[in-house]
Amino acid sequence: MTLRQSLTGITCPIVTPFDESGVVDERALGDLLEYLLAGDIDGLFPCGTTGEFASLSRDERRRVTEFTVEQADGEVPVLAGAAATSVDDVLTAIEDAAAVGADAAVVTPPYFHTANAPAGNQQFFETIADESSLPLLLYNIPACTGQGIAPETVAALASRDDVLGLKDSSGDLEYFLETMRQAADADSDFLMLQGYDALLVPALRMGADGGVNALSNVAPEAYADLYETATGVRGAELQTAVADLFDACGEYGFAPATKTALEYHGVIPSAVVRPPLVSVPDDGQAGIERDVDGLVQSED
Amino acid sequence: MTLRQSLTGITCPIVTPFDESGVVDERALGDLLEYLLAGDIDGLFPCGTTGEFASLSRDERRRVTEFTVEQADGEVPVLAGAAATSVDDVLTAIEDAAAVGADAAVVTPPYFHTANAPAGNQQFFETIADESSLPLLLYNIPACTGQGIAPETVAALASRDDVLGLKDSSGDLEYFLETMRQAADADSDFLMLQGYDALLVPALRMGADGGVNALSNVAPEAYADLYETATGVRGAELQTAVADLFDACGEYGFAPATKTALEYHGVIPSAVVRPPLVSVPDDGQAGIERDVDGLVQSED
Amino acid sequence: MTLRQSLTGITCPIVTPFDESGVVDERALGDLLEYLLAGDIDGLFPCGTTGEFASLSRDERRRVTEFTVEQADGEVPVLAGAAATSVDDVLTAIEDAAAVGADAAVVTPPYFHTANAPAGNQQFFETIADESSLPLLLYNIPACTGQGIAPETVAALASRDDVLGLKDSSGDLEYFLETMRQAADADSDFLMLQGYDALLVPALRMGADGGVNALSNVAPEAYADLYETATGVRGAELQTAVADLFDACGEYGFAPATKTALEYHGVIPSAVVRPPLVSVPDDGQAGIERDVDGLVQSED
Amino acid sequence: MTLRQSLTGITCPIVTPFDESGVVDERALGDLLEYLLAGDIDGLFPCGTTGEFASLSRDERRRVTEFTVEQADGEVPVLAGAAATSVDDVLTAIEDAAAVGADAAVVTPPYFHTANAPAGNQQFFETIADESSLPLLLYNIPACTGQGIAPETVAALASRDDVLGLKDSSGDLEYFLETMRQAADADSDFLMLQGYDALLVPALRMGADGGVNALSNVAPEAYADLYETATGVRGAELQTAVADLFDACGEYGFAPATKTALEYHGVIPSAVVRPPLVSVPDDGQAGIERDVDGLVQSED
């Protein structure tokens, strides 16, 4: 099975558990990974947005990736987050990830200086791809980077063997479909992964290859089931079951809401996040707990 | 004269000159600094937005700051850009800057993860201020960070001795005035610096303490003159003289347009920028050259 | 068959043809209606956005609706656009439409003054529904009205017998699905119609009842076919065939692009629009012609 | 004194008082006009945004304008709001206003269909100006119309004798200054009026000719004083005194907040607004009352 084939299905963008003093908690991370692997997740993505990568030091990113590779133990591929604002820093993150055994690297457009012309992002990604020792997964998340990756840019990169696919977290299905259409012309194997949980079933029904979804941290079995049954009635029911908890992610932030759900569910011991993120306020906890109960019940 | 007193007037957010292969060009940087000091600039701000800080490595940022401190030679203060996405990385940048002799550090809110609640940015800045060995200048630039600093947050920080003031590059004068009003209640010495060139004269006429303006790279004397004469007719004329070149910054990006102007004006040998920024296209060069001629003529 | 049952499928928001001097051209309108009825369209919606209702006088709106009712001759229902900025003007438009035989009225939120609180739009719609002699179809088009209709507002109105359903032209599938979910709880018969052509197939695959789509003016048979085959491969192919022409609608405006397509296709004699709309420029015509050829070929 | 000369200073965009059943209350309108004229206001603008024009019928608009003209009795000019979505409806509103004695008409771009190309708004305004029997004041309020008037469009219209000037309510001072610069090249007498209360003093200090400000309904003397003293310390103090009440306008809407302030101040008997606007909630009243006290005290 090729790497692309392995990545059809659901990849989990794992949270990075911290202890009460804000230090990475490897024991909790180990418990989380065990929970996810038991839940039939198809891939692991440490150091993404939900993983608070931008609040981790270089050493922490490398170690979280290494630990994830060790725990995955070849069972599922590991895609290491390697986003940064400069070509050199992205390449450093990629080589760190390669050194500890990651299978691929996930890269966003730069997120302080946005490209002043359409060619800028393409040049940024091409320079990285030329130098990288790992294949790349493009990651579109304009809410965080200030600028999306144009469908034309994705299509231009899709023809390269070392660019596997796209994770799209824009929340814009028209963009997803247009990009899927243009990328398929360049490479029929290009992976289209839906990163916005509320659009997962519609994307799968339109031919997406899978999802990379924050809430698969909380309910991996429900997501695996959703992927298998997406085109049927069961898939729609599961999408509905996801909706309320996803609203909480929109309201309180992905890492705070997902960690709160995981703490309530007993997978990690603490929902601590690093600044500027703040924990879910007391009056938001009960709602999340109710949503978790609803989502986990839907797994049966 | 206190540091705050020194910073009333015009501070230049200096570009970082690269040679044709994209390497930092210290000889060009030296020429630029000599040009700015001869032009009566009141402060130097290396490693800001116009300085493409997010495309520089840690070593490059430290060296550019060190070189600027050496050239300034105590004549004017040096404010080192220290923006990053995590508390630890900001503190590392600040201590690097302190070690090479910078007078203060300039900090933005984090620019990938935005705060999920108002308290998040305040906590981010307070944690940094508590640990920093340099005083801080806050830097509001929502177009790049995705989220501005709320007036209430600025006011809460204004009462600290180690938070000198705010550079506002939002382009929103109502925000600037409201923040000035709230900060003055907390500390009447709090520095309010206008970072959006097209609003410099209105801000000065409303009581701003100065500006931090990309185009002072190109025409330092015009900006010094503008500051001195802001409330009179001459100030308005100079604001108008700035307008066309500022439009080009909006169209082509600050670093690309400013570097193109500096190359045409003979201050630096090359307008090279790093990806994702791309150089001003050929059909934009002539306009910038015309604007530079207009602005430089206005200096007399 | 109830009115709601009749409206499952594709309703055409018809353009209002003008002659070269900008006067409503009834002969051209007659030809268009004949073309649409022959193309198996399920409903007719005169005086909508694509119909340039906001550029028509009260008399013109009444007459265009009357003429449409006459031509439809009971074969398909006629939904008359009745949007206005005040309760009284909406009710006047509804009674005009009722007097000439329309089956229902389509209403947007007010589009100059937007509600200053969530309750405002609900109160606006309820006041209208209480007084209206026709059942209503809600119309969500935030790009034109400045404010969308909240899912909660739709759900509150869905329980009324005299509110048939929602046409959503937001382009936001997450909104559509969330609203469908909430409305279904209030009334399982509530009609959910997708008004954004590029999202028609995804919406149908998620359970939408039909579409109200500008480009069904140009290719009614293709849209009827798309509706019938939406969940299969053929539906996806037709969605792709629609995409390029829909892009032109985004670029040149719905009425200008649709009228240009209809003129090229020989259905109406002139693509004239009223100010502030301007005709598609010469360099845009060829692309639209190519897209029309592609779309019409897909009908076979 | 020419009309343009009369309009330098402060023009009041008057609210339209309603009684408890939502009917226009002429007695209250008379009291308001008496209050404003006693407060040294320089012009009256009935049927604007704050006047809820879009919720008034044609007859109501004509009558409110007529009543204003009668009460003004030649003391100050009356500018009648004549915004609508079609050329014909704008012209109808203008001729209604002319028939009852208004001095000029205020026109916005169309507010449902926005122009699909830059030339569209210019053509819309030119067609109106060619046919209008009254001179025009352009009105830029993109938050309500969805699209602003480009500086180039204003400049093109500024050379006409029948286009007096611009009211800008965008809240964007850079736009205001750029437009002032371009319009002055076309006609040095072109009136530039600041419609966003929080930017009134900065605009006046940059050379604006006056303001058209919602809160002059509440405190006409303070606004007259502000205009006279704008460039001095007193002007800045008054701008500050306005700020809190203006924030309430932003939070609760212009008509609801201004009417609430007028009811508290004893000028009109009721703060009733028409849907979709809703009255200021109970927990917002106290703040507005405090702000009114502060603003009125500043008048002495």
Side-chain angles (χ1 to χ4, degrees):
Chain A
M1 192 156 66
T2 68
L3 179 54
R4 290 191 201 220
Q5 287 166 337
S6 306
L7 290 171
T8 59
I10 304 296
T11 290
C12 181
I14 56 174
V15 301
T16 306
F18 301 130
D19 66 19
E20 292 298 328
S21 53
V23 175
V24 176
D25 181 344
E26 284 196 12
R27 174 191 286 260
L29 181 56
D31 290 345
L32 173 64
L33 291 167
E34 190 178 339
Y35 173 68
L36 295 174
L37 291 166
D40 280 330
I41 218 72
D42 299 298
L44 293 168
F45 170 24
C47 303
T49 305
T50 304
E52 293 173 78
F53 82 88
S55 300
L56 301 178
S57 69
R58 176 179 170 187
D59 285 348
E60 288 172 328
R61 286 168 76 163
R62 184 168 40 196
R63 177 59 190 150
V64 167
T65 300
E66 180 178 42
F67 188 85
T68 303
V69 170
E70 290 166 4
Q71 302 296 305
D73 198 24
E75 205 176 316
V76 300
V78 174
L79 290 69
T85 60
S86 70
V87 169
D88 282 352
D89 285 356
V90 174
L91 287 171
T92 299
I94 291 175
E95 297 318 316
D96 284 351
V100 298
D103 298 284
V106 187
V107 289
T108 67
Y111 41 91
F112 186 90
H113 303 303
T114 51
N116 62 320
N121 282 330
Q122 186 172 333
Q123 192 186 337
F124 182 85
F125 287 123
E126 282 176 346
T127 311
I128 290 164
D130 287 344
E131 301 290 328
S132 170
S133 63
L134 291 179
L136 304 180
L137 183 73
L138 304 175
Y139 183 1
N140 187 50
I141 184 164
C144 291
T145 60
Q147 196 177 59
I149 315 174
E152 292 71 21
T153 301
V154 176
L157 295 160
S159 58
R160 299 178 66 121
D161 283 342
D162 51 12
V163 177
L164 301 171
L166 174 75
K167 171 192 180 183
D168 173 36
S169 296
S170 66
D172 178 350
L173 191 68
E174 186 186 11
Y175 167 86
F176 186 87
L177 297 177
E178 173 66 20
T179 303
M180 184 161 66
R181 190 161 69 109
Q182 292 195 25
D185 287 344
D187 174 11
S188 60
D189 288 336
F190 191 77
L191 280 171
M192 288 295 300
L193 304 177
Q194 178 55 251
Y196 195 84
D197 298 48
L199 295 177
L200 180 54
V201 169
L204 291 170
R205 289 187 179 183
M206 293 302 290
D209 300 292
V212 183
N213 303 102
L215 295 178
S216 65
N217 277 283
V218 181
E221 288 182 40
Y223 271 80
D225 188 10
L226 190 157
Y227 175 72
E228 293 303 330
T229 64
T231 56
V233 172
R234 173 83 177 134
E237 288 170 359
L238 284 164
Q239 179 75 79
T240 299
V242 167
D244 289 326
L245 194 52
F246 190 72
D247 282 349
C249 291
E251 186 166 357
Y252 302 113
F254 279 83
T258 304
K259 284 183 160 178
T260 296
L262 283 167
E263 181 186 356
Y264 172 71
H265 198 38
V267 181
I268 65 174
S270 163
V272 169
V273 291
R274 291 185 177 175
L277 298 181
V278 300
S279 297
V280 173
D282 287 350
D283 61 6
Q285 303 256 4
I288 289 181
E289 296 174 2
R290 214 165 33 237
D291 297 341
V292 170
D293 290 342
L295 179 52
V296 171
Q297 277 178 349
S298 74
E299 290 182 344
D300 306 326
Chain B
M1 192 157 66
T2 67
L3 180 54
R4 288 191 202 222
Q5 287 166 338
S6 306
L7 289 171
T8 59
I10 304 296
T11 290
C12 181
I14 57 174
V15 301
T16 306
F18 300 131
D19 65 18
E20 293 298 328
S21 54
V23 174
V24 176
D25 181 343
E26 285 195 12
R27 174 190 285 262
L29 181 56
D31 291 344
L32 173 63
L33 291 167
E34 189 179 337
Y35 172 69
L36 295 174
L37 291 166
D40 281 329
I41 218 73
D42 298 297
L44 293 168
F45 171 24
C47 302
T49 305
T50 305
E52 291 173 79
F53 81 88
S55 301
L56 301 178
S57 70
R58 176 180 170 186
D59 286 348
E60 288 172 325
R61 285 168 76 162
R62 184 168 42 197
R63 177 58 190 152
V64 166
T65 301
E66 180 178 43
F67 188 84
T68 304
V69 170
E70 291 167 3
Q71 301 296 305
D73 197 23
E75 205 177 316
V76 299
V78 174
L79 289 70
T85 60
S86 71
V87 169
D88 283 352
D89 284 355
V90 174
L91 286 171
T92 299
I94 291 175
E95 297 319 315
D96 283 352
V100 299
D103 298 284
V106 187
V107 289
T108 67
Y111 41 91
F112 186 89
H113 303 303
T114 52
N116 62 319
N121 282 329
Q122 186 172 332
Q123 193 185 336
F124 183 84
F125 287 123
E126 281 176 347
T127 310
I128 290 164
D130 287 344
E131 302 291 328
S132 169
S133 61
L134 291 180
L136 304 181
L137 182 74
L138 304 175
Y139 182 4
N140 187 50
I141 184 164
C144 291
T145 61
Q147 195 178 60
I149 315 175
E152 292 71 22
T153 302
V154 176
L157 296 161
S159 58
R160 298 179 66 122
D161 283 342
D162 50 11
V163 177
L164 302 171
L166 175 75
K167 172 190 180 184
D168 174 36
S169 297
S170 67
D172 178 349
L173 191 68
E174 186 186 12
Y175 167 86
F176 187 86
L177 297 176
E178 173 66 19
T179 303
M180 184 161 67
R181 189 160 71 106
Q182 292 196 25
D185 288 343
D187 175 10
S188 60
D189 289 336
F190 192 77
L191 281 171
M192 288 295 300
L193 305 177
Q194 178 55 250
Y196 196 82
D197 299 49
L199 294 177
L200 180 53
V201 169
L204 291 170
R205 289 187 179 184
M206 293 302 290
D209 299 293
V212 183
N213 304 103
L215 295 178
S216 66
N217 276 284
V218 181
E221 288 183 41
Y223 271 80
D225 188 10
L226 190 158
Y227 175 71
E228 294 302 331
T229 64
T231 56
V233 173
R234 173 83 177 135
E237 288 170 359
L238 284 163
Q239 178 75 80
T240 300
V242 167
D244 289 326
L245 193 52
F246 190 72
D247 282 349
C249 290
E251 187 166 357
Y252 302 114
F254 279 83
T258 304
K259 284 183 160 178
T260 296
L262 283 166
E263 180 185 356
Y264 172 70
H265 197 39
V267 181
I268 64 173
S270 162
V272 169
V273 290
R274 290 185 178 176
L277 299 181
V278 300
S279 297
V280 173
D282 287 349
D283 61 7
Q285 303 257 3
I288 288 181
E289 295 174 3
R290 214 166 32 237
D291 297 340
V292 170
D293 291 340
L295 179 53
V296 172
Q297 277 177 349
S298 74
E299 290 183 343
D300 304 327
Chain C
M1 191 156 67
T2 68
L3 180 54
R4 289 191 202 221
Q5 288 166 336
S6 306
L7 290 170
T8 58
I10 304 296
T11 289
C12 180
I14 56 173
V15 301
T16 306
F18 300 131
D19 66 18
E20 292 297 330
S21 53
V23 174
V24 176
D25 181 343
E26 284 195 12
R27 175 190 285 260
L29 181 55
D31 290 346
L32 173 63
L33 291 167
E34 190 178 337
Y35 173 69
L36 295 173
L37 291 166
D40 280 330
I41 218 73
D42 299 296
L44 293 167
F45 171 22
C47 303
T49 304
T50 305
E52 291 173 79
F53 81 88
S55 301
L56 301 178
S57 69
R58 177 180 169 187
D59 285 348
E60 289 172 325
R61 285 167 76 163
R62 185 169 40 196
R63 177 58 190 152
V64 166
T65 301
E66 181 178 40
F67 188 85
T68 304
V69 170
E70 289 167 3
Q71 302 296 306
D73 198 24
E75 205 176 316
V76 299
V78 174
L79 290 70
T85 61
S86 70
V87 169
D88 282 353
D89 284 357
V90 173
L91 286 171
T92 298
I94 291 175
E95 297 319 315
D96 283 352
V100 299
D103 298 285
V106 187
V107 289
T108 67
Y111 41 91
F112 186 91
H113 303 302
T114 52
N116 61 319
N121 282 330
Q122 186 171 333
Q123 192 185 335
F124 182 85
F125 287 123
E126 281 176 348
T127 310
I128 288 164
D130 287 344
E131 301 291 329
S132 169
S133 62
L134 291 180
L136 304 180
L137 183 73
L138 304 175
Y139 182 3
N140 187 50
I141 183 164
C144 291
T145 61
Q147 196 176 58
I149 315 176
E152 292 72 21
T153 301
V154 176
L157 294 161
S159 58
R160 299 179 66 121
D161 283 342
D162 51 11
V163 177
L164 302 172
L166 175 75
K167 171 191 180 183
D168 173 37
S169 297
S170 66
D172 178 350
L173 191 69
E174 185 186 13
Y175 166 86
F176 187 87
L177 297 176
E178 173 66 20
T179 303
M180 183 160 67
R181 189 160 70 108
Q182 292 196 24
D185 288 343
D187 174 10
S188 61
D189 289 336
F190 192 77
L191 281 172
M192 289 295 299
L193 305 177
Q194 179 54 252
Y196 195 84
D197 299 49
L199 295 176
L200 181 53
V201 169
L204 291 170
R205 289 187 179 182
M206 293 302 290
D209 300 292
V212 183
N213 303 104
L215 295 178
S216 66
N217 277 283
V218 181
E221 288 183 41
Y223 271 80
D225 189 10
L226 189 157
Y227 174 72
E228 294 303 330
T229 63
T231 55
V233 172
R234 173 81 176 136
E237 287 170 359
L238 283 163
Q239 179 74 79
T240 300
V242 168
D244 289 326
L245 194 50
F246 190 72
D247 282 350
C249 290
E251 186 166 359
Y252 302 114
F254 278 83
T258 304
K259 283 183 160 178
T260 297
L262 283 166
E263 181 186 355
Y264 172 69
H265 196 39
V267 181
I268 65 174
S270 162
V272 169
V273 290
R274 291 187 177 174
L277 299 181
V278 300
S279 297
V280 173
D282 287 349
D283 61 6
Q285 303 258 3
I288 289 180
E289 295 175 3
R290 212 165 33 236
D291 297 340
V292 170
D293 291 341
L295 179 53
V296 172
Q297 278 178 346
S298 74
E299 289 182 345
D300 305 324
Chain D
M1 192 156 65
T2 67
L3 180 54
R4 289 191 202 220
Q5 287 166 336
S6 306
L7 289 171
T8 59
I10 304 295
T11 289
C12 181
I14 57 174
V15 300
T16 305
F18 300 131
D19 66 19
E20 293 298 329
S21 54
V23 174
V24 176
D25 181 342
E26 285 196 10
R27 175 190 285 261
L29 181 56
D31 290 345
L32 173 63
L33 291 167
E34 190 179 335
Y35 172 69
L36 296 173
L37 291 166
D40 280 330
I41 217 74
D42 298 298
L44 293 167
F45 171 24
C47 302
T49 305
T50 305
E52 291 174 78
F53 82 89
S55 300
L56 301 178
S57 70
R58 177 181 169 187
D59 286 347
E60 289 172 326
R61 285 168 75 162
R62 184 168 42 195
R63 177 57 191 153
V64 166
T65 301
E66 181 178 42
F67 188 84
T68 303
V69 170
E70 289 167 3
Q71 301 296 305
D73 199 23
E75 207 177 315
V76 300
V78 175
L79 290 69
T85 60
S86 71
V87 169
D88 282 352
D89 284 356
V90 174
L91 286 171
T92 298
I94 291 175
E95 297 318 316
D96 283 351
V100 298
D103 298 285
V106 187
V107 290
T108 66
Y111 41 90
F112 185 90
H113 302 303
T114 52
N116 61 318
N121 283 329
Q122 186 171 332
Q123 192 186 336
F124 182 83
F125 286 124
E126 281 176 348
T127 309
I128 289 164
D130 287 345
E131 301 290 328
S132 169
S133 62
L134 291 179
L136 304 180
L137 183 73
L138 304 175
Y139 183 3
N140 187 51
I141 183 165
C144 291
T145 61
Q147 195 177 59
I149 315 174
E152 292 70 22
T153 302
V154 176
L157 295 160
S159 58
R160 299 180 66 121
D161 283 342
D162 51 12
V163 178
L164 302 172
L166 175 75
K167 172 191 179 183
D168 173 36
S169 296
S170 66
D172 178 350
L173 192 69
E174 185 185 14
Y175 167 85
F176 186 86
L177 297 176
E178 173 66 18
T179 304
M180 184 161 67
R181 189 160 70 107
Q182 293 195 24
D185 288 343
D187 174 10
S188 60
D189 289 335
F190 192 77
L191 281 171
M192 288 295 298
L193 304 177
Q194 177 56 251
Y196 195 83
D197 299 48
L199 295 176
L200 181 53
V201 169
L204 291 170
R205 289 187 179 182
M206 293 302 290
D209 300 292
V212 184
N213 303 103
L215 295 178
S216 65
N217 277 284
V218 181
E221 289 182 40
Y223 271 80
D225 189 10
L226 190 158
Y227 175 71
E228 293 302 330
T229 64
T231 55
V233 172
R234 174 80 177 138
E237 288 170 0
L238 284 164
Q239 179 75 78
T240 299
V242 167
D244 289 327
L245 194 51
F246 191 73
D247 282 350
C249 289
E251 186 166 358
Y252 302 114
F254 279 84
T258 304
K259 284 183 159 179
T260 296
L262 282 166
E263 181 186 356
Y264 172 69
H265 197 39
V267 181
I268 65 173
S270 164
V272 169
V273 291
R274 291 185 177 175
L277 299 181
V278 300
S279 298
V280 173
D282 287 349
D283 60 7
Q285 303 256 4
I288 289 181
E289 295 175 3
R290 214 167 31 237
D291 297 340
V292 171
D293 291 341
L295 178 53
V296 171
Q297 277 179 347
S298 74
E299 289 182 344
D300 305 324

